[in-house]
Amino acid sequence: PNVFPWSHDRTRLTAEFHKLQEAAEIDLPCNVPSDHRCTTSCRRYGFHDARRACATNNAARLPAFALQQLMRHASIQ
């Protein structure tokens, strides 16, 4: 189950997340190779970035097995 239930489609959730970042004046550098056409999405955080931050912030506090369970990874690798 989701931690925060959302009754709309995922694209709307992403759009709202991007609006919050725009209001906070978050403007990340686009780190994609030069043959890429940069879009607004390149300059915002995604939900996977929040997931990665959660894992990074808890890595020193939790045993590896607990972190694996929290992240719902099938393997410790």
Side-chain angles (χ1 to χ4, degrees):
N2 293 330
V3 175
F4 302 107
W6 181 258
S7 60
H8 306 287
D9 62 46
R10 184 179 177 128
T11 56
R12 182 163 177 197
L13 180 61
T14 300
E16 295 298 322
F17 188 44
H18 284 186
K19 283 182 191 177
L20 288 170
Q21 293 178 68
E22 186 176 330
E25 298 180 357
I26 293 172
D27 189 27
L28 304 173
C30 182
N31 294 322
V32 181
S34 60
D35 61 337
H36 163 77
R37 184 168 182 231
C38 188
T39 66
T40 305
S41 292
C42 296
R43 305 180 77 73
R44 303 282 184 259
Y45 289 107
F47 288 106
H48 195 78
D49 296 305
R51 178 179 167 80
R52 190 179 313 112
C54 175
T56 300
N57 288 330
N58 284 293
R61 297 178 213 171
L62 295 173
F65 177 77
L67 186 60
Q68 175 192 356
Q69 296 296 309
L70 177 67
M71 301 310 294
R72 295 183 177 185
H73 285 180
S75 167
I76 196 71
Q77 302 301 321

